[in-house]
Amino acid sequence: LQQTLRREAVVSTQSTGTVETSDHARLALQLSYNWHFDYTQDNAEHASALFAVPDFVGDACKALASRIRGAVAAVPFDDFHRNSARIIRTSVFGLDENMKVKENFKFAANRLVITNVDIQSVEPVDQRTRDSLQKSVQLAIEITTNSQEASARHEAERLEQQAKGKLERQKIHDEAEAEKARTELLKLQSLSAAVESTGQAKAEAQSRAESLKIEGQAAVEQAQLKAEAQNIEAENELKRINDARKGELDYISATNSLEVEKALKMSEIETSKFKDMVSTLGPENIAKIATSGHDNQLAMLQALGLQSTLITDGSTPLNLFSTAKGFVGALPSPGQ
């Protein structure tokens, strides 16, 4: 016993079963339980309790399955689909005084302790429910994919506009640098002419140089102002494009959310409509409607008091003359 059942040993057991939610959606569950025996070595009472239940695995699976079926039957399919792990763990382990899920569940009869429950698969038994669930998942994936594609496209357009703005600013900066270099060249030319000239020629050269200097400075300032204006214009255009792309993305996201909500509401309406029709008619009325034709025919024949009946349709009538002749021809003649 000490070699085969250690306190630290944890064993896993798989269990399958069918549950039904409060809105009559039948689901096939496959679960896996981790368990061990809680006992003390050299304790005869604990050792005898370990063998108190012969089929302890089967009994434990049945008890846990009953708890799970009761918990699932109290919630609708949508809640179970979103919170299946929490619902199953709560039904198996229970809640403590702080409304938190307990860490284990113990069977007092044989000191069996369930330490974990793992949900391996949840599949709808009804084909229509399975198809509806698959369509909902595909729709959610499609909406997410379209949203990601739109975001990527808008991001690419934004980066393209930023690159164009940087290129324009660099072009303006290069033109300003060229104007500055041209101004410096004119200054050097003016100084060279002033050195060569004397008197009036020197004064004329100096005045011409000053004029060119003023013109160059004016051209540089004009180029700077032009560059700033173009920079402001490019930034405003980029901001406008970003705002437009953001508004379009918000509109697409809101439209997708409304479409998903609409599909979910229509599915709930169809399910509620079918449920209300079945609940209104009742199983006894449905059975009577299905067998009403045969019951009326049987009652009519019994009222006529017929012992035997032959019923044919209008397309293949019976020829009673040929039938009677066949009966008479089958009788033996007087000489025979």
Side-chain angles (χ1 to χ4, degrees), residues 75-102:
V75 297
F77 173 74
D78 289 339
D79 292 344
F80 179 76
H81 181 63
R82 290 192 295 265
N83 307 305
S84 57
R86 182 178 59 81
I87 293 172
I88 292 177
R89 288 183 62 86
T90 302
S91 64
V92 171
F93 298 120
L95 300 175
D96 57 11
E97 59 276 4
N98 296 324
M99 301 304 294
K100 293 184 179 180
V101 180
K102 296 180 180 179

Side-chain angles (χ1 to χ4, degrees), residues 265-277:
K265 292 295 184 181
M266 291 301 295
S267 176
E268 292 177 356
I269 290 171
E270 290 297 329
T271 303
S272 177
K273 178 181 178 182
F274 179 77
K275 179 181 177 182
D276 292 340
M277 289 174 62

Side-chain angles (χ1 to χ4, degrees), residues 61-78:
C61 290
K62 290 179 182 178
L64 296 177
S66 177
R67 294 167 67 94
I68 293 172
R69 280 195 296 269
V72 174
V75 297
F77 173 74
D78 289 339

Side-chain angles (χ1 to χ4, degrees), residues 58 100 104 106 124 129 144 150 187 191 209 213 256 300 304 310 313 332:
K100 293 184 179 180
N104 54 51
K106 183 176 181 180
T129 305
T144 303
K187 286 175 63 176
L191 291 175
K213 179 180 179 181
N256 293 337
M300 183 182 296
L304 293 175
L310 177 61
D313 54 5

Side-chain angles (χ1 to χ4, degrees), residues 32-219:
S32 176
Y33 304 104
N34 291 340
W35 55 269
H36 68 269
F37 285 106
D38 183 16
Y39 71 98
T40 304
Q41 294 183 358
D42 301 330
N43 190 320
E45 183 180 356
H46 289 182
S48 61
L50 298 180
F51 300 97
V53 180
D55 186 13
F56 67 91
V57 175
D59 291 345
C61 290
K62 290 179 182 178
L64 296 177
S66 177
R67 294 167 67 94
I68 293 172
R69 280 195 296 269
V72 174
V75 297
F77 173 74
D78 289 339
D79 292 344
F80 179 76
H81 181 63
R82 290 192 295 265
N83 307 305
S84 57
R86 182 178 59 81
I87 293 172
I88 292 177
R89 288 183 62 86
T90 302
S91 64
V92 171
F93 298 120
L95 300 175
D96 57 11
E97 59 276 4
N98 296 324
M99 301 304 294
K100 293 184 179 180
V101 180
K102 296 180 180 179
E103 295 182 356
N104 54 51
F105 178 74
K106 183 176 181 180
F107 290 90
N110 58 348
R111 306 188 69 80
L112 178 66
V113 180
I114 306 297
T115 59
N116 187 30
V117 56
D118 182 27
I119 305 173
Q120 296 183 344
S121 66
V122 178
E123 295 182 358
V125 176
D126 186 11
Q127 183 64 33
R128 185 172 59 183
T129 305
R130 185 183 296 112
D131 294 341
S132 299
L133 180 61
Q134 185 176 5
K135 289 180 181 179
S136 299
V137 174
Q138 290 176 354
L139 181 61
I141 294 174
E142 183 178 356
I143 291 173
T144 303
T145 303
N146 294 335
S147 178
Q148 291 177 352
E149 290 179 355
S151 299
R153 184 170 61 255
H154 295 162
E155 183 66 17
E157 293 177 355
R158 185 182 66 81
L159 294 176
E160 183 180 359
Q161 293 296 329
Q162 287 182 350
K164 289 182 179 180
K166 290 181 179 179
L167 181 61
E168 291 295 333
R169 288 195 296 271
Q170 185 65 34
K171 183 178 179 181
I172 294 171
H173 178 72
D174 293 341
E175 291 178 355
E177 291 294 330
E179 291 293 335
K180 184 177 179 181
R182 191 178 297 111
T183 302
E184 292 294 333
L185 177 61
L186 291 175
K187 286 175 63 176
L188 293 175
Q189 290 177 353
S190 299
L191 291 175
S192 177
V195 172
E196 294 177 356
S197 303
T198 57
Q200 185 178 358
K202 181 178 180 180
E204 292 177 355
Q206 288 179 351
S207 64
R208 190 165 49 250
E210 290 294 333
S211 176
L212 293 174
K213 179 180 179 181
I214 294 172
E215 291 179 357
Q217 290 178 352

